[in-house]
Amino acid sequence: MNIALIDLPSHRSKLFPLTLTRPIADLRIGILTIREKWEKRMQQKVSYLTHESLSELFPPQSDQFELLINACICPSDKLIQAILALHDETALYQGDLLIAVKGQFSLASHTIGQESKKIEYNEPIIHIHRAWDIFLRNAEEIKADFALLTAGRQSTPISDPHTIVYAPENVFIEEGVTIKAAILNAENGPIYLDKDSEIQEGAAIRGPFALGAGSRINMNAKIREGSTVGPGCKIGGEISNSVIYGNSNKAHDGFLGNSVLGEWCNLGADTNNSNLKNNYSPVEMWDEVSQSYIDTGLQFCGLIMGDHSKSAINTMFNTGTTVGVCSNIFGSGFPRKRIKSFTWGGDRSMMAYELDKAIETAEIVMQRKGKSCSLAMQALLKNIFDESQNKAS
């Protein structure tokens, strides 16, 4: 059966800036991306059906599909059973939220699910509605992914005599992991360390926590509950309930809390973000749909940063800040809470970051990891640049 995870336009816009450079299904929450979760549980490949600006980088595997699944939904075994029980021309809903629809669909389909018979699903689901849902639901998704990935498997043992482990039954270590004189506390949730990752001396980690393949936790780092570090990252300082996507660095001291960093980001030394207002009131964040600030209803909410963005040494981000793609932020004070894609500057002034210079930097950064900024990626960045320059500050 050909299965696709589909980006519904209204859902994609609510997840900006993270979805400017990836389909919704490529968002990482827990240990795995949403697509990886579905593929692992359904034991088959699934396709992306995403916005046309992303289709060259994330092409569909077919032009015909029998099952479409809302890419905002994280799977569970019970939900998959309900989806696989659908008959042709039937759709699974929770209230007004489309979960999945079965039938015959082509890339030219425009009325997905509207003509299908509706079936209500009443069990709890994890729906990534806004970008901050990624860190809100991250701890429980780490637990779900941990159980999925480690079932029936044996962890590689820790050989270092100076590493202290609490609740070792909740720690799973893949091959090639290096740990020296660290503290791993998995009493309140699992700790998963992927292949060839490293934890250096003095690092203290509390689960739930996931570390991606080839990533490194630097000396004396403090990692609190509910955090995920993707593959190829370098992490230091203090992190709390945050998700960092692949190939991004926060290598130095500084605090990152209740936040999501995209891919290829870099936070300079002593970069800090606020995740709690001084008066403890709910945090507002920029909403791309309404082009205004909206109340998140959250007391703790930090920074959402798009791919390829950077901060300089001693940068301070205010509570509920959104940074777009390919922005370079610096300065001694707090920059504004909404920073568009391709912005250069800080609290005193901001200007457009020239496209060719941004692409040149992206190429240098990616080459350090043995990758290149492809022509398709350059075309996508140009599209994001053009759109950002047409929007009001």
Side-chain angles (χ1 to χ4, degrees):
M1 179 164 53
N2 285 338
I3 302 172
L5 296 169
I6 184 168
D7 288 7
L8 300 177
S10 60
H11 295 180
R12 177 176 178 265
S13 298
K14 291 176 182 177
L15 293 165
F16 278 10
L18 301 172
T19 49
L20 286 170
T21 49
R22 61 175 57 76
I24 295 172
D26 207 43
L27 294 172
R28 185 178 302 277
I29 176 172
I31 301 172
L32 304 169
T33 66
I34 295 174
R35 176 185 58 84
E36 289 169 343
K37 297 174 194 290
W38 284 100
E39 289 186 340
K40 186 74 175 175
R41 289 185 183 273
M42 301 189 83
Q43 298 184 340
Q44 72 162 86
K45 292 291 185 181
V46 299
S47 186
Y48 298 107
L49 273 185
T50 187
H51 188 265
E52 60 183 1
S53 64
L54 299 171
S55 58
E56 186 173 354
L57 284 168
F58 302 92
Q61 298 176 3
S62 173
D63 57 2
Q64 300 288 330
F65 299 95
E66 291 80 51
L67 181 62
L68 302 182
I69 300 172
N70 188 337
C72 288
I73 308 297
C74 293
S76 66
D77 290 343
K78 186 173 290 187
L79 177 59
I80 288 175
Q81 288 176 3
I83 290 173
L84 294 180
L86 291 173
H87 299 291
D88 283 346
E89 308 304 325
T90 60
L92 195 64
Y93 276 80
Q94 187 162 96
D96 294 329
L97 176 67
L98 173 66
I99 297 174
V101 57
K102 189 174 182 183
Q104 298 297 320
F105 306 98
S106 69
L107 293 180
S109 298
H110 297 291
T111 57
I112 298 169
Q114 282 108 337
E115 304 300 324
S116 301
K117 177 183 176 182
K118 293 185 178 181
I119 298 174
E120 185 70 14
Y121 184 75
N122 295 315
E123 298 292 333
I125 59 172
I126 291 185
H127 168 212
I128 310 305
H129 179 61
R130 296 282 186 177
W132 51 84
D133 287 325
I134 294 173
F135 65 76
L136 280 177
R137 311 304 294 270
N138 195 54
E140 56 191 305
E141 278 298 294
I142 291 175
K143 294 176 183 178
D145 288 347
F146 184 89
L148 181 67
L149 290 171
T150 65
R153 300 177 61 213
Q154 189 74 32
S155 172
T156 299
I158 297 175
S159 59
D160 176 54
H162 305 294
T163 291
I164 300 171
V165 182
Y166 297 91
E169 68 276 9
N170 294 331
V171 176
F172 195 93
I173 300 171
E174 300 284 2
E175 294 180 358
V177 174
T178 302
I179 308 174
K180 300 290 186 185
I183 299 174
L184 306 180
N185 186 344
E187 291 177 328
N188 295 322
I191 293 175
Y192 177 82
L193 308 179
D194 210 341
K195 293 180 179 180
D196 300 320
S197 58
E198 179 184 4
I199 299 179
Q200 294 185 342
E201 300 87 339
I205 298 172
R206 293 177 64 92
F209 171 72
L211 183 63
S215 286
R216 185 181 78 202
I217 304 296
N218 288 343
M219 293 183 295
N220 299 319
K222 300 183 288 290
I223 314 294
R224 298 184 186 176
E225 298 90 338
S227 295
T228 291
V229 175
C233 297
K234 297 176 183 177
I235 304 299
E238 183 179 4
I239 296 177
S240 176
N241 190 203
S242 294
V243 178
I244 300 175
Y245 284 10
N247 302 302
S248 287
N249 295 333
K250 181 205 169 301
H252 306 286
D253 285 346
F255 174 72
L256 183 71
N258 301 94
S259 298
V260 184
L261 298 187
E263 198 166 7
W264 304 108
C265 295
N266 187 78
L267 301 187
D270 204 34
T271 292
N272 291 277
N273 83 282
S274 169
N275 64 342
L276 174 68
K277 296 172 68 173
N278 284 354
N279 61 5
Y280 289 65
S281 62
V283 178
E284 291 186 339
M285 288 201 79
W286 178 258
D287 172 41
E288 195 69 22
V289 178
S290 64
Q291 291 288 294
S292 63
Y293 289 93
I294 61 172
D295 186 352
T296 65
L298 302 177
Q299 193 174 64
F300 290 90
C301 188
L303 168 69
I304 308 294
M305 177 178 279
D307 289 6
H308 292 285
S309 284
K310 315 283 190 291
S311 71
I313 185 172
N314 292 329
T315 302
M316 299 185 296
F317 290 107
N318 219 327
T319 322
T321 294
T322 301
V323 179
V325 173
C326 284
S327 288
N328 196 323
I329 311 304
F330 52 86
S332 58
F334 285 102
R336 64 189 66 169
K337 288 183 55 174
R338 181 221 175 183
I339 300 172
K340 296 193 305 179
S341 295
F342 291 90
T343 294
W344 178 283
D347 63 310
R348 296 185 179 181
S349 66
M350 290 188 171
M351 58 189 294
Y353 189 4
E354 295 179 21
L355 176 63
D356 58 343
K357 292 184 177 179
I359 290 177
E360 180 182 357
T361 299
E363 181 66 32
I364 293 170
V365 171
M366 296 177 75
Q367 282 180 353
R368 295 179 67 201
K369 303 273 186 167
K371 300 180 183 293
S372 64
C373 190
S374 66
L375 293 177
M377 175 56 74
Q378 292 182 37
L380 174 61
L381 293 179
K382 182 181 185 305
N383 181 64
I384 297 170
F385 175 84
D386 292 340
E387 289 189 1
S388 70
Q389 301 312 299
N390 292 330
K391 291 181 179 178
S393 299

